[in-house]
Amino acid sequence: TVPVNGSEEGKIKAPKPMKTGTTIAGVVYKDGVVLGADTRATSEEVVADKMCAKIHYIAPNIYCCGAGTAADTEKTTDMLSSNLTIFSMNSGRNPRVVMAVNILQDMLFRYRGMIGAHLILGGVDCTGSHLYTVGPYGSMDKVPYLAMGSGKLPAMGILEDRFKGNMDLEEAKALVSDAIHAGIMSDLASGNNIDLCVITKEGVDYIRPHRESIYNYKRQAKYKYKPGTTPVLNKTVNQLELVHETVQMMETAGSS
Amino acid sequence: MNTRGLRSQLKDSVPVTGLCPQAGSYGVQDSLRRGFSSVKNELLPSHPLELSEKNFQLNQDKMNFNTLRNIQGLHAPLKLQMEYRAARQIQRLPFLPSSNLALDTLRGTDDSIGFEDILNDPVLSEIMGDPHIMTEYKLGVL
């Protein structure tokens, strides 16, 4: 609860920020990186967004999955993307993944964990394919396979069991998809569809959605009221008559 | 020598700490210019990161200048600080927002975006000080 008016009595509950209680995962395979995420965003006990996009664009060769507070991950990745774009324009090069990670670390450490962004960065640059995780306090880890978010334990179980080095594309996509699926099944705060993003040297394949949930929540019937549902008791018509008409010229910003 | 300009510089660069942080002239709380004050807000930070953020740029500069002094010698930070001081004086009149382009270029922040560029943009500010009073204050006439 956030005390309003600075007093302790009469606390008004501010709405809780929307969290993406999430399952996100990433895997490095033979030709690049596969990132995966579920699509549910929750606000306490209610699903706030059924088709949330958790895989954010950072650079043409770098994408980032975000777990934690939805606004924090959005804004942080947006700012990171803007900074890297300016850098690319200045230097004429595609940014390296390690540069994105360093900028994120500096920013998140500066705010001592107040920015609740748990991120998985994956990308392919001139030095190869990389997968990093950055925590909200500024910690960093570089690993070949990763899962983050509230559903990371079941997802990690699947990854630990079936990961091998140098997988091919279909194997890697199936592995990430199954890991996210395990997170969705075992965690309340993850659900709905699975998005995948495949990053290679040639380009990016953003598959949204890769697998749709079988619970599709289609409306069963039309809920519009037919005309005539509300009975009309009586009707009076007042004709308005035009009395006087004037035109006044105004100075606008367009006129010099 | 322009004594008027010098007096305005002194006014803003000698903070009187201790007794009454909100003090304007005569040591009395200056509600018109600095708003209402509360003892708790003056003594304790209202957010765990308030002090660290308030001094962030200052501390970064100190750290960088120290490193520069260790690597290149005392002349390097001295010259740079002189340039910073010169660039900081390129300002518009007090009630207009200044771009600080020279200072940004020196610092290297002209090609990076931070929260200070997105949030609280002075162009979108809803309040503006009275031009006459602000200029008189800056010149030390008021």
Side-chain angles (χ1 to χ4, degrees), chain A residues 75 79 82-83 86 90 107 110-112 114-115, chain B residues 47-49 52-53 56 111-115 118:
Chain A
K75 264 288 180 280
M79 272 183 23
S82 305
N83 277 321
I86 297 181
N90 262 339
M107 191 196 304
R110 172 178 169 176
Y111 292 102
R112 297 293 191 283
M114 293 280 168
I115 298 185
Chain B
H47 190 273
L49 287 182
S52 123
E53 277 299 301
F56 186 75
D111 56 3
S112 74
I113 296 185
F115 287 119
I118 307 174

Side-chain angles (χ1 to χ4, degrees), chain B residues 62-106:
Chain B
K62 270 191 210 169
M63 200 170 69
N64 289 335
F65 283 140
N66 244 325
T67 317
L68 200 57
R69 177 186 180 161
N70 289 333
I71 297 177
Q72 294 192 15
L74 186 57
H75 74 98
L78 276 185
K79 281 201 181 128
L80 269 182
Q81 279 184 314
M82 191 182 76
E83 287 178 23
Y84 277 28
R85 212 165 266 229
R88 214 174 285 139
Q89 291 182 23
I90 306 170
Q91 298 273 318
R92 303 185 121 219
L93 290 171
F95 52 92
L96 292 171
S98 321
S99 69
N100 288 324
L101 188 58
L103 195 59
D104 275 349
T105 311
L106 272 178

Side-chain angles (χ1 to χ4, degrees), chain A residues 28-33 124 129 166-169 199-202:
Chain A
V28 175
Y29 77 104
K30 188 171 52 159
D31 302 321
V33 176
V124 177
S129 352
N166 277 331
M167 286 184 288
D168 57 7
L169 177 63
I199 311 174
T200 53
K201 212 164 27 147
E202 283 78 46

Side-chain angles (χ1 to χ4, degrees), chain A residues 77-254:
Chain A
T77 47
D78 271 354
M79 272 183 23
L80 176 65
S81 170
S82 305
N83 277 321
L84 287 182
T85 313
I86 297 181
F87 164 79
S88 310
M89 288 199 267
N90 262 339
S91 62
R93 291 174 165 77
N94 262 344
R96 297 194 190 181
V97 187
V98 71
M99 177 177 179
V101 172
N102 279 335
I103 295 179
L104 268 181
Q105 267 193 293
D106 283 343
M107 191 196 304
L108 293 176
F109 181 67
R110 172 178 169 176
Y111 292 102
R112 297 293 191 283
M114 293 280 168
I115 298 185
H118 309 244
L119 305 166
I120 292 185
L121 275 121
V124 177
D125 57 29
C126 55
T127 51
S129 352
H130 307 278
L131 187 67
Y132 289 89
T133 172
V134 182
Y137 287 88
S139 60
M140 182 271 273
D141 204 5
K142 180 174 181 351
V143 267
Y145 60 93
L146 261 183
M148 287 286 267
S150 53
K152 80 169 180 216
L153 290 173
M156 217 36 182
I158 302 282
L159 288 174
E160 293 270 4
D161 185 32
R162 285 162 40 187
F163 176 82
K164 18 190 235 291
N166 277 331
M167 286 184 288
D168 57 7
L169 177 63
E170 288 312 315
E171 230 182 327
K173 274 163 67 168
L175 178 58
V176 174
S177 179
D178 287 345
I180 307 281
H181 188 68
I184 290 178
M185 286 293 128
S186 314
D187 178 40
L188 273 183
S190 315
N192 300 82
N193 310 331
I194 300 179
D195 290 346
L196 279 190
C197 183
V198 180
I199 311 174
T200 53
K201 212 164 27 147
E202 283 78 46
V204 172
D205 188 14
Y206 195 125
I207 312 165
R208 176 173 157 84
H210 168 74
R211 197 198 297 189
E212 282 201 336
S213 150
I214 54 176
Y215 305 104
N216 245 335
Y217 306 113
K218 285 217 169 18
R219 292 227 163 89
Q220 308 291 344
K222 283 208 181 0
Y223 296 104
K224 272 178 127 66
Y225 290 111
K226 284 193 294 296
T229 311
T230 313
V232 178
L233 295 179
N234 60 11
K235 185 165 85 163
T236 45
V237 177
N238 285 331
Q239 291 286 4
L240 294 175
E241 44 174 291
L242 185 61
V243 177
H244 185 54
E245 185 179 325
T246 46
V247 174
Q248 188 180 16
M249 299 294 280
M250 280 176 69
E251 285 290 321
T252 56

